[in-house]
Amino acid sequence: MNKLRVGAIGSGYWGPNLIRNFVDLPDSELVVVADMRQERLDHMKRLYPSIEITTDYHDLLTMGLDAVVIATPPFTHFQIAKDCLEHGLSCMIEKPITTDSKQAEALVELAEQRGLKLMVGNTFEYNVAVHKLRDLIASGELGDVYYIDAVRTNLGLYQRNLNVMWDLAPHDISILLHVLSMDPVSVSAQGGKNITPSIHDVVYMHMQFPNNIMAHIHVSWLHPRKDRAITVVGSKKMVVYDDVEPLEKIKIYDKGVDAPPYADTFADFQFSYRYGDVITPYIKFTEPLRMECQHFVDCVKNGKRPNTDGVVGWKIVKILEAAERSLQNGGTQEAVNLADIKLAEPAL
Amino acid sequence: MNKLRVGAIGSGYWGPNLIRNFVDLPDSELVVVADMRQERLDHMKRLYPSIEITTDYHDLLTMGLDAVVIATPPFTHFQIAKDCLEHGLSCMIEKPITTDSKQAEALVELAEQRGLKLMVGNTFEYNVAVHKLRDLIASGELGDVYYIDAVRTNLGLYQRNLNVMWDLAPHDISILLHVLSMDPVSVSAQGGKNITPSIHDVVYMHMQFPNNIMAHIHVSWLHPRKDRAITVVGSKKMVVYDDVEPLEKIKIYDKGVDAPPYADTFADFQFSYRYGDVITPYIKFTEPLRMECQHFVDCVKNGKRPNTDGVVGWKIVKILEAAERSLQNGGTQEAVNLADIKLAEPAL
Amino acid sequence: MNKLRVGAIGSGYWGPNLIRNFVDLPDSELVVVADMRQERLDHMKRLYPSIEITTDYHDLLTMGLDAVVIATPPFTHFQIAKDCLEHGLSCMIEKPITTDSKQAEALVELAEQRGLKLMVGNTFEYNVAVHKLRDLIASGELGDVYYIDAVRTNLGLYQRNLNVMWDLAPHDISILLHVLSMDPVSVSAQGGKNITPSIHDVVYMHMQFPNNIMAHIHVSWLHPRKDRAITVVGSKKMVVYDDVEPLEKIKIYDKGVDAPPYADTFADFQFSYRYGDVITPYIKFTEPLRMECQHFVDCVKNGKRPNTDGVVGWKIVKILEAAERSLQNGGTQEAVNLADIKLAEPAL
Amino acid sequence: MNKLRVGAIGSGYWGPNLIRNFVDLPDSELVVVADMRQERLDHMKRLYPSIEITTDYHDLLTMGLDAVVIATPPFTHFQIAKDCLEHGLSCMIEKPITTDSKQAEALVELAEQRGLKLMVGNTFEYNVAVHKLRDLIASGELGDVYYIDAVRTNLGLYQRNLNVMWDLAPHDISILLHVLSMDPVSVSAQGGKNITPSIHDVVYMHMQFPNNIMAHIHVSWLHPRKDRAITVVGSKKMVVYDDVEPLEKIKIYDKGVDAPPYADTFADFQFSYRYGDVITPYIKFTEPLRMECQHFVDCVKNGKRPNTDGVVGWKIVKILEAAERSLQNGGTQEAVNLADIKLAEPAL
């Protein structure tokens, strides 16, 4: 098969990274970039003189492309992806896949009907550090997972018309679903709207998974430090994945706590802590975004279902909608039911 | 006036620190130590051969002491303090002051009736770094406070019959009340019971203060890292107080975010971030516990009301009780009313 | 004037960064890349389809270029730059400019004779953090400079035929000359040859500057940590420039030590330490390499002398030659005389 | 045997730590403290009411003591220790044992003649982290040791009449001798005298050991950061012992570099780096000073030779004297001969 012919829609904050990868991958060709802003297009054209540019994404629908990658503001994802799928183009869409779960479901169904690939850009699911987390849990090395704590904060990069939870938490939710291989059963959220009256800029989410596993996510646009840490506490070991660390991203703490055999004596009571080594496993770095783009190319060319297919994107939107209801109602517990989508074929 | 004659009840984990200070302060004399464990008493006697020791704290009631310091398990605080106050002894009690707010109220009233001093050992309120935080807020240097995030985690040191919230959160609650000079209006809490069936070992608390100020506290006995950080986000500046840092405990971030003048254009939207210097102010170190013990001696000798009097201890217990109700009910919002105690005289 | 027509020689480790910048700068055009390795050229062609490629750099001499940028192994710099200058092309050369000071001097003279620009790629002299260091010293804010300590270590990236001092120390030497605005008077060096019998892989250099200012440089290819720190100790303040820190690269310590008025009493003796705040000034980031490339374009177009001209490159080679003599002789003090080059015009 | 009767001479900066330990150890009794400053003695008496105090150390010579611990200024060590040994008292002396190697030798001989114990307070040789370093080297786990880099810097605590090398480097030298189980063959040193005209306040030492092992020590009283790091680079693994880290003091880097089989091809040359895990071994903490004091008590009671006997103290003074000659002569290489002391019995 020839090189996959790819078009890019959106070349603002994240788009250029996608464009660079599809230019550089050996079995894809980046044919055209669409953006409403001529100055962004001029910049892209200067970097890659052979590409075509257009301010109207509809031009891409009839250029004989195989696929598009969509990195526009989230509320535009649905209409653009729908147009592309209806014209026979597979779609890779930045997260969140849509801002409404019904729209996400419609895209999933449309892609199934047309036999096209629909993928959401959950970059962290292509990150080797996240794979390591998943493997540590799946292999039983951590023991039973007690809870996961996720922090993702920094100062700024506000989104318009979208609160911080919809902007940042999709990363953490996709990581949680990936490493636990489970869907949550309920969620609650509380937060603050400090800068713009109607937009939450700091949110704390609480999620309950099966087996009494708890997860907590702290996202903020209003924080003096850039923190990116995911802590998994298990009955045997604990792990911290600190994405801000340049080299030692994963640390495995061989510490644990055993419940004592009895606790009804009057004497002071000592849990038995198992202290042990801390290990930073060597992880061979590969650029997650490149893995992600390569995976999309492979799936379209070989008819495989993407690991982060539209159903995963839909699940995350469903969770965010439940959390949004909780946020608006002052932190109520909201059930999450992720079993009701029609799935034509299971993900492998 | 002569040296204050002080007795210590409890010489386990924290008691020896109190004992050392009352031995060393120039205007106090540590006369006697009570503990149920003879081996702890023997150890104290070896260090300080001139003190008396006893396994029965009732012996202290008739030794002509001026005051006692109580560092026993929390559920014993009420009975011991009541006995001491009824025998005319002023009391300094470790946090939490009691495990029931009605008991705390009873101690406050008893001390008032007898004209004795009742103080709770909120060590952080005698910490110069916390004073710096309070001053930064009170002076308006931070602008409006948006939210405060507190993390206090480590592996271990379980308490018997007391969950992690009652054990660790009193520190953070006392800091919040102190630096904001406000009482919360509501609280909620969620958490996990992982080691012992009935004891929460990780808890996330959410507190709402007047003026839309939000606070969030994460306490855990099950964490691979020892974290001790309080982040205050204001409209003008942000501050991190990191108690794990050996020297640079307070960092002031001269960064902020201004709301834009309008937000209804279609074009991408840029908040104006004010970046600026990060300043680590020099703070002359004084040992907080020594300040606390000296303050107690001063209050008893000079008839002053302690900064951390019984009412402060009572407020924290009230907040913990509301949080406990929320914790048992899956995270419900619980109102907190701290206006209903009878206060004979106002704190200065 | 039209866009500067630039050719690149060498597209291995560092060359692609230069190529990207000259492609992207608005007033330069990257016309051609030369490299002996066809696979590197193919990669460049895929990224930038409009450029020409060749395995023989001599092709560039007659293509009507204005300038070349040379990023080949150091021992090839002289012959390539000589050929280019003789064909009327201005040259930007990676550090070290040559591996022999006589060759560097010859290039300086050749460029002067032909009225061409000769620049060495001392990237750190285009780094805003280094400018901040220089300004702190020049303004007197640090007081008298006592000493500068520089550490530059990591595991790996060996060079063939070149020891670690020639590979890494040019960065630190160029920073020292830049921030002190002085030339050293003597140098010594000691080190170890651990992996390859004849190649030093760890070196400690000691430099003496006028006014009793001392500098010490530790470079290593054999170190478990990537360290990049420059510490300037002055009589009033101290500064650390830590290039590994992602955000807070410069920290100014408002601490100092005053000599006591007298020291002949028998009693224990107290220096007066002035403790104070630590300040991390906000530094607006600009990519140093882009500044460097822009500066080269400006100098060639406008006939200005580069800030890091061939004379600076020559000075660094002279210092390295003296240090190399010391290294071979077991750490002898070697005088450095940097006053003897014929300089047609002074740098501004 | 009864409790060892110990007297302490000097209760300034370090003495109180020694005193506390000898008070607290079960098989020693701290009988008396001597200090020239009455206010220090009063403070000691308040802490430990049962001890005796005196401003004249000669009083201790006839009090029936078994041993003394000497923590006075270094230039007074010799006379005090000589008096004590001549009166039959075993001596533990703070580092450096003396300020003159002939005096150290005289003390060694005197102790041998009298059958008394002479020990130098090299605390780090009783530190479990240092033991771990030694074991990693001795077991071959690190492979061949290439070099050791030691940094010990902070702001302040000047000593009178003693430069920074004599004050701080004894720690690093004792660690080097201990972990390598070797004596150096030569040493050089360079430094700066910035505050007091005749006193070096920053020194870089370079030491050569057998088997081409190199060591480098950086000590400074004039540094904005408190650094305490020892890096051991071996052919198989590398280790960093960072004493400023509160918990993870030892990190083992399973990285290394293999020399390539040949290096004469023209093509760019790739060393094979072996990357691997980073391991922070769990080390059960014991207070080094307590171990040291206990060891002294054991040696005196049981007639054992101390691990850090007078000969070790003498060796360190010999090395410092050679380094001092180098420092005065501008960095000359100075041979060190540590084979010429008369040793009555070998250390076990």
Side-chain angles (χ1 to χ4, degrees):
Chain A
M1 184 179 169
N2 294 330
K3 285 187 174 193
L4 196 77
R5 288 171 53 82
V6 178
I9 304 176
S11 59
Y13 174 65
W14 189 244
N17 295 313
L18 296 167
I19 291 166
R20 174 173 50 80
N21 272 287
F22 285 103
V23 165
D24 203 33
L25 282 176
D27 44 4
S28 76
E29 181 190 354
L30 198 285
V31 177
V32 56
V33 174
D35 199 294
M36 300 180 70
R37 294 157 299 188
Q38 187 64 43
E39 73 275 15
R40 296 301 303 158
L41 294 173
D42 292 344
H43 183 68
M44 289 297 115
K45 182 75 178 176
R46 196 160 62 232
L47 281 174
Y48 311 107
S50 61
I51 61 172
E52 294 184 58
I53 55 178
T54 173
T55 54
D56 185 351
Y57 78 83
H58 296 92
D59 292 347
L60 275 65
L61 304 178
T62 55
M63 290 177 72
L65 300 174
D66 298 305
V68 293
V69 292
I70 300 171
T72 55
F75 63 91
T76 68
H77 286 177
F78 172 65
Q79 188 60 50
I80 294 173
K82 184 166 169 285
D83 288 345
C84 292
L85 289 167
E86 288 176 344
H87 284 79
L89 307 182
S90 287
C91 292
M92 180 169 129
I93 308 179
E94 267 316 296
K95 55 88 209 166
I97 191 168
T98 58
T99 51
D100 180 312
S101 62
K102 293 206 184 334
Q103 293 177 339
E105 190 169 5
L107 293 182
V108 169
E109 288 174 1
L110 184 56
E112 296 287 341
Q113 289 162 8
R114 304 290 174 113
L116 297 169
K117 298 303 160 195
L118 177 64
M119 174 166 152
V120 63
N122 291 349
T123 312
F124 280 95
E125 298 193 46
Y126 301 91
N127 185 310
V128 286
V130 172
H131 297 171
K132 183 74 187 177
L133 268 191
R134 180 198 56 200
D135 295 346
L136 286 166
I137 292 172
S139 69
E141 188 171 339
L142 302 189
D144 296 328
V145 174
Y146 289 152
Y147 76 102
I148 301 184
D149 182 86
V151 177
R152 189 173 301 273
T153 64
N154 58 266
L155 185 65
L157 279 182
Y158 266 69
Q159 296 272 348
R160 195 164 51 110
N161 293 336
L162 201 66
N163 69 26
V164 70
M165 185 176 74
W166 285 82
D167 183 38
L168 297 182
H171 292 308
D172 299 294
I173 298 171
S174 84
I175 293 171
L176 288 172
L177 270 59
H178 182 79
V179 303
L180 289 173
S181 300
M182 280 181 190
D183 296 331
V185 293
S186 69
V187 63
S188 65
Q190 288 175 282
K193 295 171 284 193
N194 298 297
I195 304 293
T196 304
S198 58
I199 305 279
H200 281 89
D201 38 37
V202 51
V203 172
Y204 297 93
M205 286 178 70
H206 196 90
M207 294 166 78
Q208 206 63 43
F209 285 83
N211 303 341
N212 263 327
I213 297 171
M214 183 174 82
H216 188 270
I217 298 174
H218 174 201
V219 286
S220 178
W221 283 329
L222 276 182
H223 204 84
R225 289 186 180 172
K226 183 176 177 178
D227 288 332
R228 299 272 182 278
I230 290 177
T231 304
V232 185
V233 174
S235 58
K236 291 186 186 161
K237 293 184 182 178
M238 306 178 181
V239 184
V240 176
Y241 161 34
D242 187 341
D243 202 38
V244 175
E245 277 286 319
L247 292 173
E248 305 184 7
K249 290 189 181 294
I250 295 266
K251 282 191 171 187
I252 305 168
Y253 295 78
D254 189 9
K255 298 176 181 174
V257 180
D258 291 323
Y262 57 91
D264 50 6
T265 63
F266 185 78
D268 260 11
F269 162 95
Q270 292 280 332
F271 272 93
S272 77
Y273 298 101
R274 286 175 283 101
Y275 285 94
D277 298 347
V278 182
I279 295 176
T280 303
Y282 172 65
I283 299 177
K284 189 169 162 48
F285 179 77
T286 54
E287 193 200 342
L289 187 57
R290 188 176 180 92
M291 296 298 104
E292 175 189 324
C293 295
Q294 181 67 59
H295 182 66
F296 179 61
V297 171
D298 291 348
C299 287
V300 177
K301 291 184 78 165
N302 304 319
K304 292 191 304 181
R305 176 174 286 272
N307 292 333
T308 54
D309 65 359
V311 176
V312 173
W314 169 83
K315 284 183 178 182
I316 293 171
V317 174
K318 287 283 283 185
I319 294 166
L320 290 169
E321 286 175 338
E324 184 72 34
R325 285 195 302 276
S326 176
L327 199 53
Q328 300 302 338
N329 296 330
T332 48
Q333 296 296 326
E334 300 287 332
V336 179
N337 182 352
L338 299 182
D340 59 354
I341 198 170
K342 281 178 292 181
L343 236 179
E345 51 168 318
L348 296 181
Chain B
M1 184 178 170
N2 294 331
K3 285 188 175 194
L4 196 77
R5 289 171 52 83
V6 178
I9 304 175
S11 60
Y13 175 65
W14 188 244
N17 294 313
L18 295 167
I19 291 165
R20 174 174 49 81
N21 272 287
F22 286 104
V23 165
D24 203 33
L25 282 176
D27 43 4
S28 77
E29 181 189 355
L30 199 285
V31 177
V32 56
V33 174
D35 199 293
M36 301 181 68
R37 295 157 297 191
Q38 187 65 43
E39 73 274 18
R40 296 301 304 158
L41 293 173
D42 292 344
H43 183 68
M44 289 297 115
K45 183 76 178 176
R46 196 160 63 232
L47 281 175
Y48 311 108
S50 60
I51 61 172
E52 295 183 56
I53 54 178
T54 172
T55 54
D56 184 351
Y57 77 84
H58 296 91
D59 292 346
L60 276 65
L61 304 177
T62 54
M63 290 177 73
L65 300 176
D66 299 302
V68 293
V69 292
I70 301 170
T72 55
F75 64 91
T76 67
H77 287 177
F78 172 67
Q79 188 61 50
I80 295 172
K82 184 166 170 285
D83 287 345
C84 292
L85 289 168
E86 288 176 343
H87 285 78
L89 305 182
S90 288
C91 292
M92 180 169 127
I93 308 178
E94 266 318 294
K95 54 88 207 166
I97 190 167
T98 60
T99 52
D100 179 313
S101 61
K102 292 207 185 333
Q103 294 178 337
E105 191 170 3
L107 293 182
V108 169
E109 289 174 1
L110 185 56
E112 296 287 339
Q113 290 162 8
R114 304 291 174 113
L116 297 169
K117 298 304 158 193
L118 176 64
M119 175 165 150
V120 63
N122 291 349
T123 312
F124 280 95
E125 299 194 45
Y126 301 90
N127 185 310
V128 286
V130 173
H131 297 170
K132 182 75 186 177
L133 268 191
R134 180 197 57 198
D135 295 346
L136 286 166
I137 292 173
S139 69
E141 188 171 338
L142 302 189
D144 296 329
V145 173
Y146 288 152
Y147 76 102
I148 300 183
D149 183 85
V151 178
R152 188 173 303 273
T153 64
N154 57 266
L155 185 64
L157 280 180
Y158 266 70
Q159 296 272 348
R160 197 166 49 111
N161 292 337
L162 200 67
N163 69 26
V164 70
M165 185 176 73
W166 284 82
D167 182 38
L168 297 183
H171 291 308
D172 298 294
I173 298 171
S174 85
I175 292 171
L176 288 172
L177 270 57
H178 183 80
V179 303
L180 289 173
S181 300
M182 281 181 190
D183 295 333
V185 293
S186 68
V187 65
S188 65
Q190 287 174 283
K193 296 171 282 194
N194 298 296
I195 302 295
T196 304
S198 57
I199 305 279
H200 281 88
D201 39 37
V202 50
V203 172
Y204 297 93
M205 286 178 71
H206 196 92
M207 294 167 78
Q208 206 63 43
F209 286 82
N211 304 340
N212 263 325
I213 297 171
M214 184 173 83
H216 188 270
I217 298 174
H218 174 200
V219 285
S220 178
W221 282 328
L222 276 183
H223 204 83
R225 290 187 179 171
K226 183 177 177 178
D227 288 331
R228 298 273 183 278
I230 290 178
T231 304
V232 184
V233 175
S235 58
K236 292 185 185 160
K237 294 185 182 177
M238 304 177 180
V239 185
V240 176
Y241 161 34
D242 187 340
D243 203 38
V244 175
E245 278 285 319
L247 292 173
E248 306 184 5
K249 290 189 180 296
I250 294 266
K251 281 190 171 188
I252 305 169
Y253 295 79
D254 189 9
K255 297 176 181 174
V257 180
D258 291 324
Y262 57 91
D264 50 3
T265 64
F266 185 77
D268 261 10
F269 162 99
Q270 292 281 332
F271 271 93
S272 77
Y273 298 102
R274 285 177 283 103
Y275 285 95
D277 297 347
V278 182
I279 295 177
T280 304
Y282 172 65
I283 298 177
K284 189 168 163 47
F285 179 77
T286 54
E287 194 199 341
L289 188 58
R290 189 176 179 90
M291 295 298 104
E292 177 190 323
C293 295
Q294 180 67 59
H295 181 68
F296 179 61
V297 171
D298 291 347
C299 288
V300 176
K301 293 185 76 166
N302 304 318
K304 291 191 306 179
R305 175 175 285 273
N307 292 333
T308 54
D309 64 359
V311 176
V312 174
W314 169 82
K315 284 183 177 182
I316 293 171
V317 175
K318 287 284 282 185
I319 294 166
L320 290 168
E321 286 176 338
E324 185 70 35
R325 286 195 300 276
S326 176
L327 200 53
Q328 301 301 340
N329 295 329
T332 47
Q333 296 295 326
E334 300 287 333
V336 179
N337 183 353
L338 300 183
D340 59 354
I341 197 171
K342 279 180 294 179
L343 235 179
E345 53 168 313
L348 296 181
Chain C
M1 184 176 171
N2 294 330
K3 285 187 173 193
L4 196 77
R5 288 171 54 82
V6 178
I9 304 176
S11 59
Y13 174 64
W14 189 244
N17 294 314
L18 296 167
I19 291 166
R20 175 175 49 81
N21 271 287
F22 285 104
V23 165
D24 203 34
L25 282 176
D27 44 3
S28 78
E29 181 189 355
L30 198 286
V31 177
V32 57
V33 173
D35 199 294
M36 299 181 69
R37 296 156 299 189
Q38 187 64 43
E39 73 276 15
R40 295 301 304 159
L41 293 172
D42 293 343
H43 183 68
M44 290 297 115
K45 183 75 178 176
R46 197 160 61 233
L47 281 175
Y48 310 108
S50 61
I51 61 171
E52 294 183 57
I53 53 178
T54 173
T55 54
D56 184 351
Y57 78 83
H58 296 91
D59 292 347
L60 275 66
L61 304 177
T62 54
M63 289 177 72
L65 301 174
D66 298 304
V68 293
V69 291
I70 301 170
T72 55
F75 64 91
T76 68
H77 286 176
F78 173 65
Q79 188 60 51
I80 295 173
K82 183 165 171 286
D83 287 346
C84 292
L85 289 168
E86 287 176 343
H87 284 78
L89 305 182
S90 288
C91 291
M92 180 168 129
I93 308 178
E94 267 317 295
K95 55 88 209 165
I97 190 167
T98 60
T99 52
D100 179 313
S101 62
K102 292 207 185 334
Q103 293 178 337
E105 190 169 5
L107 293 181
V108 169
E109 288 173 0
L110 185 55
E112 296 285 342
Q113 288 163 8
R114 303 287 174 116
L116 297 168
K117 298 302 159 195
L118 176 65
M119 176 165 150
V120 64
N122 291 349
T123 311
F124 280 96
E125 298 194 45
Y126 300 91
N127 185 310
V128 286
V130 172
H131 296 171
K132 182 74 185 179
L133 267 191
R134 180 198 56 199
D135 295 347
L136 286 166
I137 293 172
S139 70
E141 188 170 339
L142 302 189
D144 297 329
V145 173
Y146 288 152
Y147 77 101
I148 300 184
D149 183 85
V151 177
R152 188 172 302 272
T153 64
N154 57 268
L155 184 65
L157 279 181
Y158 267 69
Q159 295 272 347
R160 195 166 50 111
N161 293 335
L162 201 67
N163 69 26
V164 69
M165 183 175 75
W166 284 81
D167 183 38
L168 297 182
H171 292 308
D172 299 293
I173 298 171
S174 85
I175 292 171
L176 289 172
L177 270 57
H178 183 79
V179 304
L180 289 173
S181 300
M182 281 181 189
D183 296 331
V185 294
S186 69
V187 63
S188 65
Q190 287 174 282
K193 294 171 285 193
N194 298 296
I195 303 294
T196 305
S198 58
I199 305 279
H200 281 89
D201 37 37
V202 50
V203 172
Y204 296 94
M205 286 178 70
H206 197 91
M207 294 166 77
Q208 206 63 43
F209 285 83
N211 304 340
N212 263 326
I213 297 171
M214 184 174 82
H216 188 269
I217 298 174
H218 174 200
V219 285
S220 177
W221 282 328
L222 276 183
H223 204 83
R225 289 186 179 171
K226 182 176 177 178
D227 288 331
R228 300 272 183 279
I230 291 178
T231 304
V232 185
V233 175
S235 58
K236 291 185 185 160
K237 294 185 181 176
M238 306 178 180
V239 184
V240 176
Y241 162 33
D242 186 340
D243 202 38
V244 175
E245 278 286 319
L247 291 173
E248 306 184 5
K249 291 189 180 294
I250 295 266
K251 282 191 170 188
I252 305 169
Y253 295 79
D254 190 10
K255 298 177 180 173
V257 180
D258 291 323
Y262 56 92
D264 48 6
T265 63
F266 186 77
D268 260 11
F269 163 98
Q270 291 281 331
F271 271 93
S272 76
Y273 299 101
R274 285 176 283 102
Y275 285 95
D277 298 347
V278 182
I279 295 176
T280 303
Y282 172 65
I283 299 178
K284 189 170 162 44
F285 179 76
T286 54
E287 193 199 342
L289 188 57
R290 188 176 179 91
M291 296 297 104
E292 176 190 323
C293 294
Q294 181 67 59
H295 181 67
F296 179 61
V297 171
D298 290 348
C299 287
V300 176
K301 291 185 79 166
N302 302 319
K304 291 192 303 181
R305 175 174 287 271
N307 292 334
T308 54
D309 65 359
V311 176
V312 173
W314 168 82
K315 284 183 177 181
I316 293 171
V317 175
K318 287 283 284 185
I319 294 166
L320 290 168
E321 287 176 338
E324 184 71 36
R325 286 195 301 276
S326 176
L327 200 52
Q328 301 301 340
N329 295 329
T332 47
Q333 297 295 325
E334 299 288 332
V336 179
N337 182 353
L338 299 183
D340 60 354
I341 198 171
K342 279 179 294 178
L343 235 180
E345 50 168 316
L348 296 181
Chain D
M1 184 179 170
N2 294 330
K3 285 188 175 194
L4 196 76
R5 289 172 51 83
V6 178
I9 305 176
S11 61
Y13 175 65
W14 189 244
N17 294 313
L18 296 167
I19 291 166
R20 173 174 50 80
N21 272 287
F22 285 103
V23 165
D24 203 33
L25 282 175
D27 44 3
S28 76
E29 181 190 355
L30 198 284
V31 177
V32 57
V33 174
D35 199 294
M36 300 180 69
R37 295 156 300 189
Q38 187 64 44
E39 73 274 16
R40 295 302 303 159
L41 293 174
D42 291 343
H43 182 68
M44 290 297 115
K45 183 75 177 174
R46 197 161 59 232
L47 281 174
Y48 311 108
S50 60
I51 61 172
E52 295 183 57
I53 53 179
T54 171
T55 53
D56 184 352
Y57 78 84
H58 296 91
D59 291 347
L60 276 65
L61 303 178
T62 54
M63 291 176 71
L65 301 174
D66 299 302
V68 293
V69 292
I70 302 170
T72 55
F75 64 92
T76 68
H77 287 177
F78 172 66
Q79 187 61 47
I80 295 173
K82 183 166 171 284
D83 288 345
C84 293
L85 290 168
E86 287 175 343
H87 285 78
L89 306 182
S90 287
C91 293
M92 179 168 126
I93 309 179
E94 267 316 295
K95 55 89 208 164
I97 191 167
T98 59
T99 52
D100 180 313
S101 63
K102 292 206 185 333
Q103 293 178 339
E105 192 169 3
L107 293 181
V108 170
E109 288 173 1
L110 184 56
E112 296 286 341
Q113 289 163 9
R114 304 288 174 114
L116 298 168
K117 297 304 159 191
L118 176 64
M119 175 164 150
V120 63
N122 291 349
T123 312
F124 280 94
E125 297 193 47
Y126 300 90
N127 185 311
V128 285
V130 172
H131 296 171
K132 182 75 185 176
L133 267 191
R134 179 198 58 198
D135 294 346
L136 286 166
I137 292 172
S139 70
E141 188 170 339
L142 302 188
D144 296 328
V145 173
Y146 288 153
Y147 76 101
I148 301 183
D149 183 85
V151 177
R152 190 173 301 274
T153 64
N154 59 265
L155 184 64
L157 281 182
Y158 267 68
Q159 295 273 348
R160 197 164 51 111
N161 292 337
L162 200 66
N163 69 26
V164 70
M165 185 175 75
W166 285 82
D167 182 38
L168 297 182
H171 291 308
D172 300 292
I173 298 171
S174 85
I175 293 171
L176 288 171
L177 269 57
H178 183 79
V179 303
L180 289 173
S181 300
M182 281 181 190
D183 295 332
V185 294
S186 68
V187 64
S188 65
Q190 288 174 282
K193 297 171 282 194
N194 297 295
I195 303 294
T196 305
S198 58
I199 305 278
H200 282 87
D201 38 38
V202 50
V203 171
Y204 296 94
M205 285 178 71
H206 196 92
M207 294 167 78
Q208 206 64 43
F209 285 83
N211 304 340
N212 263 327
I213 297 172
M214 183 173 83
H216 188 271
I217 299 174
H218 174 199
V219 285
S220 178
W221 283 327
L222 276 183
H223 204 84
R225 290 186 179 171
K226 182 176 177 176
D227 289 332
R228 298 273 183 279
I230 290 177
T231 304
V232 184
V233 174
S235 58
K236 291 186 185 160
K237 293 185 182 178
M238 305 178 181
V239 185
V240 176
Y241 162 33
D242 187 341
D243 202 39
V244 175
E245 278 287 319
L247 292 173
E248 305 184 6
K249 291 189 180 294
I250 294 266
K251 282 190 169 188
I252 304 169
Y253 295 79
D254 189 9
K255 297 176 181 173
V257 181
D258 289 323
Y262 57 91
D264 51 4
T265 63
F266 187 78
D268 262 10
F269 163 95
Q270 294 279 333
F271 272 93
S272 77
Y273 298 102
R274 286 176 283 101
Y275 285 94
D277 298 347
V278 182
I279 295 175
T280 303
Y282 173 65
I283 299 177
K284 190 168 161 47
F285 180 76
T286 54
E287 194 200 341
L289 187 58
R290 188 175 181 92
M291 295 298 104
E292 176 190 323
C293 295
Q294 180 67 59
H295 181 67
F296 179 62
V297 171
D298 290 348
C299 286
V300 176
K301 292 184 77 166
N302 304 319
K304 291 191 304 180
R305 174 174 286 272
N307 292 333
T308 54
D309 65 358
V311 176
V312 174
W314 169 82
K315 284 183 177 182
I316 292 171
V317 174
K318 287 283 282 185
I319 294 166
L320 289 168
E321 287 176 337
E324 184 72 34
R325 286 195 300 276
S326 177
L327 199 53
Q328 302 300 339
N329 295 329
T332 47
Q333 297 294 327
E334 300 287 334
V336 179
N337 184 351
L338 300 182
D340 59 354
I341 199 171
K342 280 180 291 179
L343 238 179
E345 52 168 314
L348 295 181

